[in-house]
Amino acid sequence: MLFTNPLLAILLISTPQQLVMDSSAVQECRAEQLTIQVDNKAGDFNGMSHSGTEIKIYNNGPECQFPARPRVKIYGSEDKILPLENGTRPEQLAQNLVIDNGQYAVMQLRWVSSPVYNENKKLKAITLSVDTRYSALKVPLATEIYIPADVKIGTFEQTPLRIVEGRSEH
């Protein structure tokens, strides 16, 4: 392949292999081949009024694709979805990742964890889920999330998933 624009050649050649342009090239990840964990990194996400966690998704099966910004839901008691949504702007949506066998991908979530608003609503989170197309990966998450009392739906921040190089030893 001959490139007349050197910058374009560099961009095309150095595109990370974890991004998939043709979604038919690699099968979608199935829930049964994935394992999910949360890790608060010994409090690294905690600040004066915020908290968060890192979500790790391990692939225990064949190479597969997974959304780089999957839908995350947070549940309270009685397995009821809490009134929270990803506050990330739509232009920050990402493509799918390819996760090789034995690799894992990580993303971070952050939320308000103390009563910082004039009037607060406290939500008690018990479980977190990351949705695949056909099912959800669930993991325990014991935390408190605060939202303004006058809003119907609060927000959290979510980074895109990224592949961690090397093999997992989970």
Side-chain angles (χ1 to χ4, degrees):
M1 178 183 267
L2 178 62
F3 295 102
T4 57
N5 182 335
L7 181 57
L8 181 60
I10 291 169
L11 289 174
L12 290 174
I13 293 169
S14 64
T15 300
Q17 293 300 310
Q18 64 194 36
L19 292 178
V20 178
M21 297 303 181
D22 179 8
S23 60
S24 65
V26 177
Q27 295 292 321
E28 277 187 40
C29 295
R30 297 178 325 274
E32 60 270 10
Q33 79 184 85
L34 303 172
T35 305
I36 184 172
Q37 292 180 337
V38 292
D39 183 356
N40 72 3
K41 298 290 191 181
D44 283 353
F45 293 95
N46 297 340
M48 291 181 65
S49 62
H50 64 276
S51 188
T53 191
E54 182 174 79
I55 298 172
K56 295 179 180 179
I57 299 176
Y58 297 90
N59 181 12
N60 305 305
E63 173 186 76
C64 62
Q65 65 171 316
F66 197 84
R69 194 176 301 276
R71 183 167 182 204
V72 173
K73 291 186 252 178
I74 300 175
Y75 296 81
S77 63
E78 300 175 13
D79 209 28
K80 190 174 181 181
I81 298 173
L82 296 178
L84 295 165
E85 65 185 9
N86 178 355
T88 306
R89 295 187 306 269
E91 63 268 17
Q92 294 177 332
L93 295 177
Q95 297 181 8
N96 289 343
L97 300 179
V98 171
I99 308 174
D100 289 332
N101 173 270
Q103 278 191 321
Y104 66 99
V106 298
M107 68 179 164
Q108 297 177 350
L109 297 182
R110 293 185 188 273
W111 53 81
V112 176
S113 63
S114 62
V116 298
Y117 306 106
N118 289 335
E119 294 183 32
N120 298 276
K121 187 186 306 180
K122 179 169 69 172
L123 307 174
K124 291 191 175 213
I126 296 174
T127 307
L128 174 142
S129 76
V130 176
D131 290 0
T132 66
R133 187 191 297 204
Y134 303 108
S135 61
L137 305 168
K138 286 191 172 185
V139 65
L141 176 75
T143 193
E144 294 177 349
I145 300 172
Y146 286 81
I147 64 173
D150 62 345
V151 300
K152 290 186 178 189
I153 299 175
T155 60
F156 56 86
E157 294 177 10
Q158 175 184 342
T159 64
L161 273 170
R162 64 179 175 78
I163 300 292
V164 175
E165 294 302 320
R167 310 299 271 178
S168 70
E169 300 296 328
H170 71 107

